[in-house]
Amino acid sequence: MIRLRRTTRTVASDTSEGRPPMADEAEVLGELQRLRIRVPQVTGALAASVDGLVLAQDTSGVEPEGVAALTAAALGVAQRLADATGQGVFRELLVRGSRGYVATYAAGDTAVLTLLAEDRVNVGRLHLEGRRAGAKVGELVEAAAAEPVVRTRGRARARTTSTTDSGLPVRTPRPTEPGPLPESALQPRTAR
């Protein structure tokens, strides 16, 4: 498993609502809904960036933004604990409460999958399906990150045309014509 890294880089489209850009939220949401069908005791599913921003969610009765933020905090602690004890890189985290479970799975390098489940869930089945769904969500997020981002519906997205050695897209600056500076830019500023 690859070590998760915190990043401010987002995956795809809409930053105007305070959410990270999402490549294809419908595909990720579809995967969350299919998981809930496969494991009926799962009461909620949420995909988030490792920074705690919601990518897609299928939850009720909880605040998705709050759960995503708490997941990011728990992820940081889990990563440190795994490192400090020599257990390798983060793969999953399971919390058992008196009324059920909260399970978090790595979803690629930049996302996590958090599941809420009833206390009567088969934990082995939860892990099996959670790991599969986490891998699928990770693939969707990473595939979206690899695609060039374009302008749609009046919202500007980063334009990428090349990649670094690590395969991450590089933002291409817009060409600008150097022009003469206005006279006011050449004058020293004085206190008024």
Side-chain angles (χ1 to χ4, degrees):
M1 182 74 50
I2 298 171
R3 176 176 297 279
L4 290 174
R5 62 182 180 272
R6 290 195 178 271
T7 177
T8 56
R9 186 173 172 278
T10 51
V11 182
S13 82
D14 185 7
T15 57
S16 65
E17 297 172 7
R19 292 177 35 178
M22 186 62 206
D24 193 349
E25 185 175 0
E27 285 187 41
V28 175
L29 183 58
E31 183 60 34
L32 301 181
Q33 292 169 338
R34 286 187 292 277
L35 169 68
R36 289 191 65 185
I37 290 169
R38 291 190 305 264
V39 185
Q41 296 81 21
V42 170
T43 58
L46 176 132
S49 71
V50 294
D51 295 325
L53 301 172
V54 176
L55 301 176
Q57 57 93 15
D58 183 17
T59 60
S60 60
V62 297
E63 183 64 36
E65 290 80 12
V67 172
L70 288 170
T71 296
L75 175 63
V77 171
Q79 287 175 320
R80 288 190 183 121
L81 181 61
D83 285 343
T85 58
Q87 301 302 313
V89 297
F90 173 81
R91 292 181 64 186
E92 58 198 44
L93 172 67
L94 181 68
V95 176
R96 182 178 181 197
S98 61
R99 292 189 215 125
Y101 294 89
V102 178
T104 299
Y105 302 92
D109 288 342
T110 60
V112 291
L113 171 67
T114 298
L115 305 177
L116 311 175
E118 298 172 354
D119 62 344
R120 62 189 183 92
V121 71
N122 178 322
V123 177
R125 179 73 187 268
L126 179 68
H127 282 319
L128 176 71
E129 296 296 342
R131 290 171 188 150
R132 285 180 182 167
K136 179 65 175 173
V137 168
E139 289 172 10
L140 292 170
V141 170
E142 288 173 8
E147 293 177 5
V149 184
V150 295
R151 181 185 273 290
T152 58
R153 296 185 187 169
R155 295 181 181 135
R157 296 184 189 175
R159 293 179 301 159
T160 58
T161 58
S162 60
T163 59
T164 62
D165 293 337
S166 65
L168 296 174
V170 176
R171 180 175 272 173
T172 305
R174 293 182 179 186
T176 59
E177 292 290 325
L181 293 173
E183 189 67 31
S184 61
L186 300 174
Q187 301 298 323
R189 288 192 146 179
T190 58
R192 292 183 182 168

